[in-house]
Amino acid sequence: KAGVTQTPRYLIKTRGQQVTLSCSPISGHRSVSWYQQTPGQGLQFLFEYFSETQRNKGNFPGRFSGRQFSNSRSEMNVSTLELGDSALYLCASSEGHGISYGYTFGSGTRLTVV
Amino acid sequence: DQQVKQNSPSLSVQEGRISILNCDYTNSMFDYFLWYKKYPAEGPTFLISISSIKDKNEDGRFTVFLNKSAKHLSLHIVPSQPGDSAVYFCAASAPGNQFYFGTGTSLTVIP
């Protein structure tokens, strides 16, 4: 079955713009989590959605937001982009909410803010 | 505040020898730990996990050891193979919470 699909793979934006990233989970998976990967900070948790509801949120400013649709697809939005937002954004899906479910990651969206 | 730390950014090992990747954590509430492997241009893939009720979990060439008193876990790969060359992340979670990842260790297995 298809894996976790993230689009676009690469993105270049200008400081101050906004961006929307998309994540399609594995069929049947209802939980989608988003992570930011940077060289210095590793993987940092952004938020988790389960059944269209945000279940957990990491320590990121309000410029970072997300949502999940009824088909479990999720979008992440970053407004007023800053240079420091340049990173690899990964989403992961799992069947349910909670650590007992395995997470499968997508290949990520590489965002560059110039 | 980095609750999960991987203090070695990189590690080089000869093929056939043992690779030991280390991870330290600060939150005593963490009760579930995982290791992920990441190749360039791909998302992390799950490798092995361990619950805090155990001190060792083995899966083929991969063994994870947990020392709760020291808040330390390690991943042993024996024997190491060139295909093991990747970035390895450890992650930890407390009940009901999200995972906290370390910054990763880049492993190079030299043929």
Side-chain angles (χ1 to χ4, degrees), chain A residues 91-106:
Chain A
C91 87
S93 77
S94 69
E95 289 183 46
H97 168 64
I99 60 172
S100 59
Y101 294 92
Y103 287 84
T104 303
F105 281 83

Side-chain angles (χ1 to χ4, degrees), chain A residues 9 37 43 45 99 103 105-106, chain B residues 36 38 41 43-44 93 98-99:
Chain A
R9 289 294 307 271
Q37 184 187 355
L43 280 163
F45 173 76
I99 60 172
Y103 287 84
F105 281 83
Chain B
Y36 277 83
K38 185 180 185 299
S93 176
Q98 74 272 15
F99 283 103

Side-chain angles (χ1 to χ4, degrees), chain A residues 6 21 35-36 46 64 76 85 87-91 108-109 111:
Chain A
Q6 290 188 246
L21 312 181
Y35 291 84
Q36 181 196 64
L46 281 153
F64 291 82
M76 190 192 92
D85 297 333
L88 178 67
Y89 290 87
L90 291 158
C91 87
T109 294
L111 171 65

Side-chain angles (χ1 to χ4, degrees), chain A residues 37 39-40 42, chain B residues 5-12 20-23 35 38 86-89 102-108:
Chain A
Q37 184 187 355
Chain B
K5 299 178 184 177
Q6 293 176 258
N7 292 318
S8 298
S10 62
L11 175 68
S12 291
I20 300 176
L21 296 99
N22 294 304
C23 181
W35 283 93
K38 185 180 185 299
V87 177
Y88 290 78
F89 291 95
T103 51
T105 296
S106 178
L107 172 66
T108 302

Side-chain angles (χ1 to χ4, degrees), chain B residues 70-101:
Chain B
K71 294 191 181 70
H72 176 85
L73 68 156
S74 61
L75 174 68
H76 293 209
I77 307 173
V78 183
S80 302
Q81 299 173 354
D84 296 330
S85 296
V87 177
Y88 290 78
F89 291 95
C90 71
S93 176
N97 271 323
Q98 74 272 15
F99 283 103
Y100 294 87
F101 283 82

Side-chain angles (χ1 to χ4, degrees), chain A residues 15-91:
Chain A
R15 193 170 44 181
Q17 286 187 309
Q18 76 161 20
V19 67
T20 299
L21 312 181
S22 178
C23 173
S24 293
I26 289 174
S27 178
H29 284 196
R30 295 162 62 194
S31 171
V32 173
S33 302
W34 287 89
Y35 291 84
Q36 181 196 64
Q37 184 187 355
T38 55
Q41 296 294 320
L43 280 163
Q44 291 191 291
F45 173 76
L46 281 153
F47 24 67
E48 179 193 5
Y49 286 88
F50 178 76
S51 295
E52 302 179 64
T53 303
Q54 189 179 87
R55 294 303 180 103
N56 265 316
K57 190 176 189 306
N59 190 25
F60 276 81
R63 299 184 297 106
F64 291 82
S65 63
R67 59 178 175 168
Q68 187 179 33
F69 301 95
S70 58
N71 62 358
S72 294
R73 189 178 71 86
S74 177
E75 286 182 349
M76 190 192 92
N77 185 277
V78 188
S79 62
T80 321
L81 283 166
E82 301 176 0
L83 296 179
D85 297 333
S86 295
L88 178 67
Y89 290 87
L90 291 158
C91 87

